[in-house]
Amino acid sequence: MKNFFVCLFMLAGFALHSQNFRGMAVYESKTMLEMKTGDGKEIDLGEDFKEQLAKAFEKKYTLKFDAQASVYEEQEKLQSPGPVGITVKVTGDGRRYKNLKEKYYLLEGDIFGKEFLVKDSLVKLNWKLENETKKIGSYNCFKATYTIKKDNTKSGLFGTEKDVVVTAWYTPDIPVGHGPGIYWGLPGLILEVNDGSTSLLCSKIVLNPADKFEITKPSVGQKVSQAEFDKIHEEKMQQMEQMENTGPEGTTRVFRIGG
């Protein structure tokens, strides 16, 4: 049975590579907010307030892909105001292009109005394929996990204060190694991801759409590596925190958005 499944996967993969294959997936993102003061202490502002903040950061993304490359970007929408009296700092990325054949990515970044173009090697994710299955829409999905290890010295892509187990659900029905955001490298399109603070769920898939599209690479901005971009971003955020008004107890309110 296992060999039969592998043969089916290889045949499907050959079909994708041999045709002018295109696909589009829409993902919805929800984030659990971690609210802390400048010295790292958690701020308890009540469940209703946290719910309002979480709703303000619900997002939709589009992933366009072919057999080898993909581009992932946020759908534009009207800006939702945050709770009254609170200014929320959000740092986000622009379009993310991944090339699975050549193992690199391009990312549009913006730091206080200055545009950057991040180019770096794809980070290999050491997925563990699990036995659990479930349906997402009409697609049969399989579970995969990997662990982001604690690293207090690193503020880059996988910098984290504690070990985090990332759970993904992928479908071999669409045998491409793409996924939303930084995620990739499974034997099927990733339809759902949960990293403990942020969840991404695919809500729509269109294969070989009638309206053809191209997967275009980002090209605008100062060219930097991921490490260089992270360093510049961290320095600018520290400068901004020093300049901001402080709260009633002399602490700066910093809202860290997961994901």
Side-chain angles (χ1 to χ4, degrees):
M1 178 61 71
K2 182 177 179 181
N3 289 335
F4 177 69
F5 175 80
V6 171
C7 288
L8 284 179
F9 179 82
M10 291 176 64
L11 288 172
F14 176 78
L16 291 184
H17 283 274
S18 62
Q19 300 174 21
N20 188 23
F21 175 77
R22 292 286 188 278
M24 181 188 73
V26 176
Y27 295 84
E28 298 184 8
S29 171
K30 294 186 177 181
T31 299
M32 291 170 41
L33 304 178
E34 180 181 301
M35 295 175 286
K36 294 183 178 182
T37 61
D39 59 0
K41 295 180 180 179
E42 186 172 355
I43 302 172
D44 184 7
L45 297 176
E47 291 302 316
D48 290 344
F49 187 85
K50 290 172 69 174
E51 185 177 342
Q52 291 180 57
L53 279 175
K55 191 170 183 60
F57 293 105
E58 291 179 357
K59 297 181 179 182
K60 279 190 176 183
Y61 297 88
T62 299
L63 177 72
K64 296 179 180 179
F65 58 89
D66 60 19
Q68 297 179 351
S70 67
V71 63
Y72 180 74
E73 60 186 323
E74 183 180 351
Q75 292 184 359
E76 292 185 4
K77 67 174 184 177
L78 293 175
Q79 185 66 37
S80 299
V84 176
I86 295 294
T87 299
V88 182
K89 290 188 313 199
V90 183
T91 57
D93 299 324
R95 290 188 300 154
R96 180 183 291 270
Y97 169 88
K98 294 196 291 280
N99 189 307
L100 303 190
K101 182 180 180 181
E102 299 180 21
K103 299 294 189 297
Y104 76 91
Y105 68 92
L106 295 168
L107 174 64
E108 292 177 341
D110 184 289
I111 301 179
F112 300 110
K114 183 175 176 59
E115 294 179 324
F116 292 87
L117 180 63
V118 180
K119 181 177 181 179
D120 221 317
S121 300
L122 284 172
V123 178
K124 183 179 179 181
L125 307 178
N126 295 316
W127 294 107
K128 178 183 178 183
L129 304 186
E130 310 283 359
N131 293 323
E132 293 182 50
T133 63
K134 72 174 182 178
K135 282 263 194 179
I136 297 179
S138 61
Y139 292 95
N140 297 308
C141 295
F142 292 79
K143 183 179 180 180
T145 60
Y146 82 92
T147 301
I148 302 172
K149 293 295 185 181
K150 175 180 178 180
D151 187 350
N152 290 328
T153 67
K154 186 177 179 182
S155 61
L157 193 59
F158 293 121
T160 177
E161 296 177 357
K162 60 182 179 180
D163 288 359
V164 176
V165 177
V166 176
T167 300
W169 294 89
Y170 66 95
T171 177
D173 297 343
I174 307 176
V176 295
H178 299 298
I182 64 170
Y183 304 107
W184 69 286
L186 284 168
L189 181 66
I190 299 172
L191 300 189
E192 182 178 337
V193 177
N194 191 303
D195 69 3
S197 62
T198 298
S199 62
L200 286 160
L201 178 63
C202 182
S203 59
K204 179 181 179 181
I205 296 176
V206 179
L207 299 179
N208 291 319
D211 294 332
K212 301 297 182 182
F213 59 82
E214 296 297 323
I215 299 171
T216 57
K217 300 179 183 180
S219 59
V220 177
Q222 178 183 332
K223 295 181 180 180
V224 293
S225 68
Q226 185 69 57
E228 291 170 335
F229 181 79
D230 292 339
K231 182 179 180 181
I232 295 168
H233 177 265
E234 184 177 358
E235 290 173 350
K236 292 296 184 181
M237 291 301 291
Q238 289 176 352
Q239 292 174 13
M240 287 298 294
E241 288 178 15
Q242 292 172 1
M243 294 169 59
E244 285 180 343
N245 294 327
T246 58
E249 297 179 359
T251 58
T252 302
R253 288 183 175 179
V254 179
F255 296 83
R256 293 184 171 85
I257 311 303

